[in-house]
Amino acid sequence: MKTDKISNEAQLDASGNLIHLLGLEGLSSEHINQILDTADSLLDEKGNLKKSKALDDMSVANLFFEPSTRTRNTFEIAAKRNRAKVINVDLDNSAIKKNEALLDTMLTLKAMQIDMFVIRHNQNGLPHHVAENVSGVSILNAGDGINAHPTQALLDVLTIRQIKKKFENLSVAIVGDIVHSRVAHSDIHALKTLGVKDIRLIAPAGLQHSPENCEIFNCFEDMDEGLKNVDVIMMLRLQKERMIAADIPNEQEYYKNYGLTNDRLKLASKDAIVMHPGPINRGVEIDSDVADGPQSVILKQVTNGIAIRMAVMQILAKNHRRQ
Ligand code: NCD
């Protein structure tokens, strides 16, 4: 499915308030900064998470149709830290296995008085479809196909803002399987909206972003060239599950050309940070010395994921009650 026809329109009400989180395209820097500021207010000076009662009277359903460790568990922790009740819908044993239409499952869950659905699905635009067809609930996109992963991009820019303070003068490199990565697609929107001027997309020819994007951003096939003096390096996993067999690169070859090693890291700014949404494949796209090294912020991203998801839920809950 093409991703360019998917509309995020349903996520804002007539006054421009966020009522679902479907994607970052269409959100202003004010929307994004409100989420980042709320997330920061949920962390203490040491970076530890606070608790809140913001969703005391609400229920959140986790609907993960694809595997997930970080995203699913941090959504659950975030909902519980907001005092919501959480229902992890067991999709392997659900009526969907009896061919119930997905929208019927959603309407059934709504009839159980569930207020928010967190949805991950391999189909582009599936959360958008639910948002357009089931009223009175808030939809949070936890990753749809190769289209978008908005909370991942929000936690990424929160992590960058905490360390680098400002976006305007940063050089940010996104490296790897860009074409299949919903994380990269959402990161590009977040960084652009927040004013990053130098966004570099580094990938082998077959995994490059669309030619249109290479007209707007700086595309590189040569990783060493692309990494020069960057402030932020965002590494990506090879999304093999989204490739046809012929497209899967040889891992050793890939590591040689696109693996982030300490030697390559030296090409970036001295204080560059290394990010990865996880799961990481050590020795494929990133060397263990780098993943576990002093410039890596990979685990900080995980903690920030809880703050971001708590913040989004709080903002949606407020606007949900207003409706
Ligand atoms: C990503 C995803 O599922 O899109 N992971 C995540 O949510 N932390 C990236 C990936 O699977 O490589």
Side-chain angles (χ1 to χ4, degrees):
M1 196 205 273
K2 281 213 151 212
T3 55
D4 49 8
K5 295 248 157 51
I6 295 168
S7 156
N8 291 337
E9 236 168 80
Q11 70 187 347
L12 298 178
D13 69 12
S15 320
N17 298 310
L18 199 66
I19 50 171
H20 306 286
L21 182 67
L22 303 175
L24 299 183
E25 213 173 353
L27 293 192
S28 62
S29 57
E30 287 75 25
H31 285 121
I32 294 181
N33 280 320
Q34 184 198 9
I35 298 169
L36 302 190
D37 293 345
T38 308
D40 263 337
S41 76
L42 293 164
L43 292 160
D44 68 17
E45 321 72 61
K46 290 187 186 145
N48 293 322
L49 287 155
K50 299 180 190 166
K51 284 189 178 149
S52 152
K53 295 181 187 161
L55 272 77
D56 205 6
D57 53 345
M58 295 184 125
S59 304
V60 178
N62 260 336
L63 292 139
F64 279 69
F65 294 85
E66 268 191 0
S68 173
T69 302
R70 275 149 274 263
T71 308
R72 199 189 70 77
N73 288 303
T74 53
F75 261 113
E76 177 169 354
I77 294 166
K80 287 181 174 162
R81 283 197 165 258
N82 273 329
R83 282 258 198 121
K85 286 175 201 64
V86 180
I87 297 96
N88 287 309
V89 182
D90 178 5
L91 293 164
D92 285 334
N93 293 304
S94 75
I96 288 185
K97 293 277 164 188
K98 298 182 187 169
N99 288 331
E100 179 174 62
L102 198 120
L103 277 184
D104 284 326
T105 305
M106 300 294 163
L107 290 167
T108 305
L109 291 168
K110 184 196 160 186
M112 295 176 194
Q113 313 266 290
I114 291 172
D115 305 282
M116 282 186 195
F117 297 174
V118 178
I119 304 177
R120 168 170 287 195
H121 201 283
N122 65 6
Q123 200 183 316
N124 298 331
L126 192 280
H128 309 64
H129 181 63
V130 178
E132 282 154 16
N133 288 283
V134 182
S135 60
V137 292
S138 300
I139 308 298
L140 283 104
N141 182 359
D144 63 318
I146 61 165
N147 179 46
H149 194 348
T151 57
Q152 179 67 47
L154 289 166
L155 75 88
D156 288 345
V157 289
L158 177 69
T159 308
I160 295 174
R161 191 175 83 164
Q162 286 168 349
I163 300 166
K164 300 287 179 191
K165 311 296 175 211
K166 285 201 157 51
F167 290 97
E168 290 76 24
N169 296 322
L170 292 180
S171 295
V172 180
I174 305 180
V175 187
D177 181 4
I178 294 173
V179 73
H180 297 108
S181 172
R182 54 194 174 206
V183 175
H185 299 158
S186 289
D187 275 333
I188 290 170
H189 282 298
L191 294 167
K192 201 168 78 175
T193 308
L194 293 171
V196 177
K197 289 185 211 84
D198 185 12
I199 301 176
R200 306 185 193 176
L201 308 179
I202 305 175
L207 302 176
Q208 275 286 4
H209 212 283
S210 61
E212 304 87 70
N213 260 340
C214 290
E215 280 167 24
I216 309 169
F217 307 109
N218 305 314
C219 288
F220 294 86
E221 255 185 73
D222 181 336
M223 183 168 180
D224 294 355
E225 193 62 37
L227 284 184
K228 275 187 194 146
N229 301 321
V230 290
D231 304 293
V232 178
I233 307 173
M234 303 174 113
M235 298 303 297
L236 301 170
R237 182 180 65 90
L238 286 173
Q239 313 267 311
K240 287 188 196 161
E241 68 276 22
R242 306 191 202 290
M243 295 179 197
I244 52 166
D247 284 345
I248 298 181
N250 171 298
E251 285 187 358
Q252 273 150 352
E253 189 72 5
Y254 186 82
Y255 177 70
K256 202 173 102 214
N257 294 323
Y258 295 97
L260 186 60
T261 58
N262 264 330
D263 275 346
R264 283 216 163 100
L265 182 53
K266 289 195 189 106
L267 298 167
S269 276
K270 249 208 190 97
D271 57 356
I273 55 169
V274 176
M275 309 179 75
H276 195 308
I280 62 173
N281 287 158
R282 293 169 186 263
V284 180
E285 73 270 358
I286 192 164
D287 205 64
S288 276
D289 289 348
V290 177
D292 305 329
Q295 285 166 272
S296 166
V297 295
I298 295 172
L299 294 175
K300 186 180 179 67
Q301 287 173 267
V302 177
T303 311
N304 277 338
I306 302 173
I308 278 293
R309 290 169 180 132
M310 284 179 79
V312 172
M313 285 178 187
Q314 291 186 7
I315 292 166
L316 293 182
K318 206 154 88 200
N319 296 337
H320 181 84
R321 287 197 189 92
R322 245 206 296 249
Q323 283 186 322

